[in-house]
Amino acid sequence: MTTQDKPAVNPVLAVLAWLWVVVPFGYGLYELLIKIPALFGN
Amino acid sequence: MPAGFLTRERIVAPPGWSRWLIPPAALSIHLAIGQAYAWTAFKTALTATMLKGDPNAGVLTALPFQLAIVMLGLSAALFGTRVDARGPRWAMVVSSSCFVAGFLISALGVSIGAYWLVVLGYGFVGGIGLGIGYISPVSTLIKWFPDRPGLSTGIAIMGFGGGALIATPLTNQLLAAFGGSGAKAAASGVAQTFLVMGLIYAVFMSVGWLLIRVPADDWKPAGWNPETQTAGAMISTNNVSAANAIRTPQFWLLWVVLCFNVTAGIGILERAQDIYKDFFGAGVSPAGIAAAAGGFAAMLSLANSLGRILWSSASDPLGRKRMYMIYLGVGALLYLAITLLGNSNKVVFLICSIFILSFYGAGFSTAPAYLRDLFGTYQVGAIHGRLLTAWSVAGVLGPLIVNALADANKGIAGPGRYTTAFIIMIVLLVIGFVANLLIRPVSAKFHEPAEKIIRPEGAQA
């Protein structure tokens, strides 16, 4: 068997699975990035 | 008889299953358990409420985190073989149950005024969840991505670093919403925050154990040829059991490599804000330097997370041994640059710090692939679990060196306060560099017979 077999996964499921983890991570990343400019403020 | 919901047989992927669904499953676990690095938010809230006025509040509020990290190492080492044997869904369910139970027990403890329940819940029970959760997806990812093990484990272990990025603002916002922080902070608000976070993580982690699949025994990536992959490289096609692995010099050399790499990184990470203030605080307003130090700590967290995926991915084409030579050798030179230049050049200081922390993160994420190269996939999860005891030791050693020497040099102003500590870090990194150089392929006497590897009972993922 290889990854070229007929897909057994709905593409929507794959997108949702990635959004499930990327959205919270993006939120955390945003909260972090807004603190960094203070580093160059003095 | 149908296979049970948690068994490995139940989650063997059907033909055509996308291996790109495995990283989000792994991230659902690692992004959750990475919350451990955000314990500071609870520490502050507990000091201001439940332990208000207690002269030992500092020590007491550190206990749940310290116990959790100790339990992480111990449970990963003790349960690693069972995790490999029972499969990732079982491990993820156990991890989720323990991790969530830790929050719920802590919520109960805060609400009834029993602090020992917070230590027991978050530290002991939750810590077991951390250890089992940390290793749960590793061998599965390596089997789904035999062509790119560094990338796949880098994604998951980056999640552990990223977990704190999510948990810190989330905890602070929940504490504010429930009245667990601020001028009128109350213990009930802290209890509610523990409760709600436990429920959030229960839902979030469920996607991990629902989505996880193991590849069929005869599965391999399209176009991938293991023979060409291993030719001329330090990648073994043989397998070593966890019991045998710890009898090899390679395991203990790698243990030293990981321990000293983590020690060097965690020393600067744990005291990041104070180091920045000591280096660049002269002539700056307290508010200004506090904000800048916060920005410095945030930047290091980002470097720690990104280093986990970037350098680990680079290890696939460049080789694990070569990457650790960079982490340790260049890391030592960067520490030397900071020590020699002091606060004379802020940009150089920042660049050096960013790379040191990126190498710190990378040391974690490249380790599973290095283990796979040396010991094969047979019990790589269990071997990884045993290796994580190096993290437990480094977690004590790094902060101890930097804090003890910084406290002893209180009378010295500026960067000179850290000179001795940084020189020790350089020495440790050089020792790690030499240990890595000494790593050679594992002797054939430790290899498992081929028939033992393919039997269903011994199959792991």
Side-chain angles (χ1 to χ4, degrees), chain B residues 271 399-413 416-418 420-421:
Chain B
R271 206 183 158 92
L400 190 73
I401 292 170
V402 173
N403 290 324
L405 290 171
D407 289 346
N409 294 326
K410 258 182 184 167
I412 303 173
R417 191 175 177 191
Y418 298 97
T420 314

Side-chain angles (χ1 to χ4, degrees), chain B residues 236-324:
Chain B
S236 174
T237 52
N238 295 295
N239 289 283
V240 180
S241 68
N244 273 337
I246 58 171
R247 298 193 183 100
T248 64
Q250 286 83 358
F251 176 87
W252 292 106
L253 287 167
L254 193 52
W255 194 97
V256 170
V257 165
L258 183 66
C259 183
F260 288 173
N261 189 57
V262 174
T263 301
I266 212 167
I268 201 169
L269 186 64
E270 202 263 349
R271 206 183 158 92
Q273 299 207 24
D274 289 331
I275 289 174
Y276 189 86
K277 287 174 186 172
D278 285 328
F279 268 66
F280 300 104
V284 183
S285 69
I289 193 64
F296 178 62
M299 197 184 64
L300 294 189
S301 295
L302 189 59
N304 175 16
S305 272
L306 293 180
R308 290 172 188 241
I309 185 164
L310 295 178
W311 297 122
S312 185
S313 302
S315 76
D316 287 332
L318 295 176
R320 256 57 78 172
K321 187 170 182 174
R322 202 168 289 150
M323 290 312 293
Y324 273 98

Side-chain angles (χ1 to χ4, degrees), chain B residues 27-83:
Chain B
L27 281 168
S28 297
I29 302 298
H30 270 234
L31 281 172
I33 61 175
Q35 182 279 338
Y37 277 147
W39 171 252
T40 309
F42 277 116
K43 182 178 162 75
T44 309
L46 288 165
T47 305
T49 56
M50 194 179 183
L51 300 171
K52 194 173 186 177
D54 191 320
N56 299 315
V59 175
L60 288 172
T61 52
L63 267 181
F65 172 76
Q66 288 171 329
L67 182 58
I69 294 298
V70 169
M71 290 310 298
L72 186 157
L74 288 179
S75 58
L78 290 173
F79 299 118
T81 310
R82 191 167 298 179
V83 167

Side-chain angles (χ1 to χ4, degrees), chain B residues 49-436:
Chain B
T49 56
M50 194 179 183
L51 300 171
K52 194 173 186 177
D54 191 320
N56 299 315
V59 175
L60 288 172
T61 52
L63 267 181
F65 172 76
Q66 288 171 329
L67 182 58
I69 294 298
V70 169
M71 290 310 298
L72 186 157
L74 288 179
S75 58
L78 290 173
F79 299 118
T81 310
R82 191 167 298 179
V83 167
D84 266 349
R86 298 220 173 169
R89 177 173 279 174
W90 175 86
M92 288 178 173
V93 167
V94 172
S95 166
S96 304
S97 304
C98 290
F99 187 66
V100 170
F103 278 90
L104 301 185
I105 294 169
S106 299
L108 176 68
V110 176
S111 64
I112 65 172
Y115 188 72
W116 66 271
L117 277 176
V118 179
V119 179
L120 176 78
Y122 188 91
F124 186 81
V125 180
I128 293 172
L130 295 184
I132 295 176
Y134 193 90
I135 59 172
S136 63
V138 168
S139 65
T140 305
L141 282 164
I142 286 175
K143 287 183 177 177
W144 275 110
F145 292 86
D147 49 340
R148 280 180 279 187
L151 168 71
S152 63
T153 56
I155 291 173
I157 292 173
M158 180 192 73
F160 193 82
L165 304 188
I166 300 168
T168 301
L170 178 64
T171 309
N172 287 331
Q173 285 164 13
L174 288 174
L175 283 168
F178 293 130
S181 61
K184 294 181 180 174
S188 60
V190 182
Q192 283 176 283
T193 303
F194 269 120
L195 177 66
V196 171
M197 286 195 71
L199 297 177
I200 289 172
Y201 283 128
V203 174
F204 187 75
M205 295 171 87
S206 65
V207 168
W209 49 262
L210 286 171
L211 202 57
I212 194 71
R213 295 290 185 279
V214 295
D217 289 339
D218 58 347
W219 181 89
K220 65 175 182 174
W224 180 68
N225 182 354
E227 300 305 320
T228 56
Q229 172 87 6
T230 56
M234 217 179 76
I235 302 174
S236 174
T237 52
N238 295 295
N239 289 283
V240 180
S241 68
N244 273 337
I246 58 171
R247 298 193 183 100
T248 64
Q250 286 83 358
F251 176 87
W252 292 106
L253 287 167
L254 193 52
W255 194 97
V256 170
V257 165
L258 183 66
C259 183
F260 288 173
N261 189 57
V262 174
T263 301
I266 212 167
I268 201 169
L269 186 64
E270 202 263 349
R271 206 183 158 92
Q273 299 207 24
D274 289 331
I275 289 174
Y276 189 86
K277 287 174 186 172
D278 285 328
F279 268 66
F280 300 104
V284 183
S285 69
I289 193 64
F296 178 62
M299 197 184 64
L300 294 189
S301 295
L302 189 59
N304 175 16
S305 272
L306 293 180
R308 290 172 188 241
I309 185 164
L310 295 178
W311 297 122
S312 185
S313 302
S315 76
D316 287 332
L318 295 176
R320 256 57 78 172
K321 187 170 182 174
R322 202 168 289 150
M323 290 312 293
Y324 273 98
M325 285 166 69
I326 294 172
Y327 305 158
L328 297 153
V330 178
L333 293 174
L334 293 170
Y335 256 115
L336 184 65
I338 288 181
T339 308
L340 295 176
L341 292 174
N343 56 5
S344 61
N345 191 320
K346 188 171 167 181
V347 174
V348 173
F349 172 84
L350 292 177
I351 291 171
C352 289
S353 304
I354 286 170
F355 274 96
I356 287 171
L357 262 295
S358 75
F359 293 156
Y360 163 78
F364 283 115
S365 56
T366 314
Y370 208 165
L371 292 172
R372 192 290 305 253
D373 293 353
L374 291 166
F375 303 109
T377 57
Y378 175 49
Q379 289 188 332
V380 69
I383 300 169
H384 186 218
R386 286 156 172 77
L387 188 73
L388 291 180
T389 51
W391 182 5
S392 296
V393 173
V396 177
L397 203 60
L400 190 73
I401 292 170
V402 173
N403 290 324
L405 290 171
D407 289 346
N409 294 326
K410 258 182 184 167
I412 303 173
R417 191 175 177 191
Y418 298 97
T419 301
T420 314
F422 286 176
I423 288 171
I424 292 174
M425 298 302 178
I426 293 167
V427 172
L428 292 180
L429 286 169
V430 170
I431 295 171
F433 184 86
V434 174
N436 181 53

Side-chain angles (χ1 to χ4, degrees), chain A residues 1-9 13-14 17-18 20-21 24-25 27-29 31-33 35-36 38-40 42, chain B residues 15-17 20-21 24 28 31 162 165-166 169-170 173 204 207 216 218-220 222 276 291-292 295 298-299 302 346:
Chain A
M1 277 178 281
T2 71
T3 51
Q4 289 174 332
D5 292 321
K6 187 183 170 188
V9 178
L13 173 67
W18 275 101
W20 184 257
V21 291
F25 186 74
Y27 155 76
L29 197 59
E31 293 284 340
L32 180 93
L33 289 174
K35 290 180 188 166
I36 291 180
L39 182 58
F40 304 99
N42 57 79
Chain B
W17 186 266
W20 290 103
L21 283 173
S28 297
L31 281 172
L165 304 188
I166 300 168
L170 178 64
Q173 285 164 13
F204 187 75
V207 168
D218 58 347
W219 181 89
K220 65 175 182 174
Y276 189 86
M299 197 184 64
L302 189 59
K346 188 171 167 181

